[in-house]
Amino acid sequence: MQLSIFDLFKVGIGPSSSHTVGPMWAMCRFLQRLALHPLQGKVDGLQVHLYGSLSLTGKGHATDRAVILGLSGCRPDRLLPEEAEAICQQVALRRELVLDGRLVSFDPEQDIHFHSESLARHPNGLRVEAYSCGSLVVHREYFSVGGGFVVEEGEEQAVALDASGASPPYPFTTAAQLLELCQQHSISISELMLANEVSIQGDAQLVFQMLDHIWQVMEQSIEQGCRSEGVLPGGLGIRRRARRLCEDLKSKPEAALRDPLTVMDWVSLYALAVNEENAAGGRVVTAPTNGAAGVIPAVLAYYMRFMHGANQEGARSFLATAAAIGMLYKHNASISAAEVGCQGEIGVACSMAAGALTAVMGGSCEQIENAAEIGMEHNLGMTCDPIGGLVQVPCIERNTMGAIKAINAARLALRGDGKHRVSLDSVIETMHQTGIDMQSKYKETSQGGLAVNVVEC
């Protein structure tokens, strides 16, 4: 199945696509399956088992809350953060949730189980069980494989909840194939992607509206992050910085005349704002993950706010090009930090943003591929070691660095002719191999790196 642009860019809530958004989708899929079961009306209890990374950093990533919300019938793309808090509090207080209009026993403290061992298929595994009068009625296993994608037991690959099954006119699985198709049909990467997306969605105007909505939510997360202040939840005592930085930059407009690199401060601000919102459980766009949700909005905001000639059409082209690059990583490697470390999140987001910026700056397909390769090449080996299992340190600042690297990669590629030694396909395979070789303690378990070498309190 060809991925959609909107499989890579999904609206959801923080703090994690694989630990929050993915488990919510898994619960939604379980409810769909349960609704077809002949004993569905007699179910009176539910149990959920979290394994591996979902367990080890589950509390910090709000996986338990995601389970409650998903079993309550909430979809991450339609849920508002303030609604989430009220639902979780009600379920915890009543020790019941509403299932198909009926109250069913569910005590989060007793019915969500954390297991440090992993299931065989993926580090992010969970098992859902439905009971009637003490007997197991139905159970399923799901794997949250990064970026909000979910694979159910028996499936070979992730399937979107609303998958259309359409066949796109320009299918590709490698960067080499993508470049060949563009050359053969004399089209840009974004034009190819938009043609594929129209075949999936059925209407070009709908595709444009959906792309505009994604950028709108990204902008809203930047603006909300710049307005909010206080301490982020979780116990680390991390204070939000985006509002103060925003006020400081706005109060000194003349600074850019003295220091041209002030624009970097704005880019960092955009990334910081988004990921502080994500860490607070706010509404963001998975791009391609929540942990890396600030990179692409920051670079797209840089294009829209600082580059001459930027427009809505350019923003659409940016997102379409970024999605093409993200699909290559999703298909040939991974965007799950629990599987390959943070190179699969910040690294992939940087690569996507670098190629997309190159495209809207007038780069050729070869220069776009070059920029995407540079963006990943210099993120290879990045570990995922969140302190306290929270998507805060070093995650938030890593988004600022990923955004700046993406801009640098684009500018380097535009100074060249597109010819380079290392291909994007080669660097994707290298990232995949590096992730396999990486010790598990450096892959979103909070058992290595900064997570054990920095005192939490």
Side-chain angles (χ1 to χ4, degrees):
M1 182 191 72
Q2 178 73 34
L3 290 174
S4 161
I5 293 172
F6 307 104
D7 290 328
L8 272 296
F9 297 122
K10 296 186 284 288
V11 178
I13 60 171
S16 171
S17 49
S18 58
H19 287 59
T20 314
V21 176
M24 283 183 68
W25 282 123
M27 297 303 103
C28 290
R29 293 190 62 183
F30 181 76
L31 291 182
Q32 286 184 337
R33 180 175 290 276
L34 188 60
L36 301 175
H37 198 279
L39 295 178
Q40 189 269 348
K42 296 184 178 180
V43 168
D44 56 17
L46 296 160
Q47 300 269 323
V48 179
H49 298 265
L50 305 175
Y51 295 90
S53 179
L54 283 187
S55 169
L56 292 167
T57 61
K59 289 284 188 179
H61 286 68
T63 308
D64 49 348
R65 289 167 54 86
V67 166
I68 295 169
L69 294 167
L71 289 176
S72 298
C74 300
R75 290 173 50 138
D77 58 339
R78 299 174 183 172
L79 182 67
L80 297 177
E82 55 270 24
E83 296 172 336
E85 182 63 29
I87 292 169
C88 289
Q89 286 183 359
Q90 185 177 48
V91 172
L93 180 65
R94 299 176 61 174
R95 299 178 185 176
E96 292 176 322
L97 53 80
V98 179
L99 184 66
D100 193 31
R102 300 179 299 109
L103 288 175
V104 172
S105 173
F106 188 77
D107 182 354
E109 293 295 325
Q110 300 295 325
D111 296 328
I112 300 178
H113 307 275
F114 295 81
H115 307 276
S116 60
E117 68 274 14
S118 296
L119 297 176
R121 178 161 183 174
H122 193 277
N124 289 335
L126 58 91
R127 176 186 170 96
V128 197
E129 302 168 343
Y131 291 86
S132 176
C133 299
S135 298
L136 183 63
V137 173
V138 61
H139 64 87
R140 300 298 293 173
E141 289 180 357
Y142 298 91
F143 302 91
S144 183
V145 296
F149 288 92
V150 173
V151 178
E152 186 174 349
E153 59 176 298
E155 293 176 348
E156 291 187 6
Q157 61 183 2
V159 178
L161 198 69
D162 303 317
S164 68
S167 298
Y170 305 113
F172 63 92
T173 56
T174 68
Q177 290 174 352
L178 179 60
L179 291 175
E180 183 178 356
L181 284 168
C182 289
Q183 183 178 26
Q184 180 182 347
H185 297 280
S186 300
I187 55 177
S188 68
I189 291 175
S190 65
E191 288 171 335
L192 179 149
M193 287 295 295
L194 290 172
N196 283 353
E197 196 61 40
V198 169
S199 74
I200 295 171
Q201 305 298 339
D203 181 77
Q205 287 304 314
L206 175 61
V207 172
F208 295 152
Q209 290 171 11
M210 293 171 72
L211 286 169
D212 293 345
H213 176 63
I214 290 298
W215 171 227
Q216 181 184 41
V217 176
M218 287 180 172
E219 280 195 300
Q220 289 170 349
S221 63
I222 292 173
E223 292 165 3
Q224 183 63 32
C226 288
R227 286 195 300 265
S228 302
E229 57 185 349
V231 177
L232 294 171
L236 288 183
I238 304 299
R239 297 197 66 83
R240 298 175 74 134
R241 291 181 285 172
R243 178 170 176 170
R244 181 192 57 79
L245 177 56
C246 182
E247 291 174 348
D248 184 58
L249 288 170
K250 286 182 176 179
S251 69
K252 302 172 182 176
E254 74 285 352
L257 298 176
R258 298 193 306 269
D259 181 5
L261 294 184
T262 300
V263 68
M264 292 175 58
D265 296 333
W266 282 101
V267 174
S268 294
L269 166 65
Y270 303 146
L272 199 71
V274 172
N275 280 85
E276 287 181 349
E277 269 303 287
N278 178 65
R283 196 164 185 250
V284 298
V285 174
T286 296
T289 69
N290 280 37
V295 175
I296 287 172
V299 178
L300 181 47
Y302 163 75
Y303 162 72
M304 292 294 284
R305 299 178 185 184
F306 288 95
M307 299 202 66
H308 179 71
N311 54 34
Q312 191 175 38
E313 183 180 350
R316 294 167 181 168
S317 177
F318 184 105
L319 291 170
T321 305
I325 296 164
M327 289 176 186
L328 296 173
Y329 285 98
K330 174 63 183 162
H331 186 272
N332 297 301
S334 175
I335 57 173
S336 168
E339 197 169 18
V340 295
C342 202
Q343 59 175 355
E345 296 202 26
I346 294 295
V348 172
C350 177
S351 181
M352 292 168 67
L357 182 60
T358 303
V360 295
M361 291 177 70
S364 66
C365 292
E366 290 74 20
Q367 288 173 318
I368 293 167
E369 187 258 359
N370 187 195
E373 179 274 322
I374 295 170
M376 173 54 74
E377 185 176 345
H378 303 288
N379 280 293
L380 289 173
M382 183 183 289
T383 60
C384 182
D385 47 357
I387 296 174
L390 298 164
V391 192
Q392 297 180 17
V393 182
C395 319
I396 294 173
E397 286 184 355
R398 278 185 179 168
N399 278 264
T400 70
M401 301 305 293
I404 296 299
K405 277 187 178 182
I407 294 171
N408 191 34
R411 296 181 70 85
L412 281 172
L414 286 164
R415 293 291 183 181
D417 58 5
K419 297 178 182 178
H420 51 107
R421 181 70 176 179
V422 180
S423 69
L424 178 56
D425 287 328
S426 295
V427 85
I428 291 174
E429 176 57 27
T430 302
M431 186 272 272
H432 189 208
Q433 292 175 0
T434 303
I436 293 171
D437 292 340
M438 193 180 293
Q439 294 182 45
S440 62
K441 67 180 182 179
Y442 296 117
K443 294 190 281 189
E444 209 169 3
T445 63
S446 289
Q447 295 180 324
L450 289 174
V452 298
N453 287 305
V454 176
V455 178
E456 292 182 29
C457 58

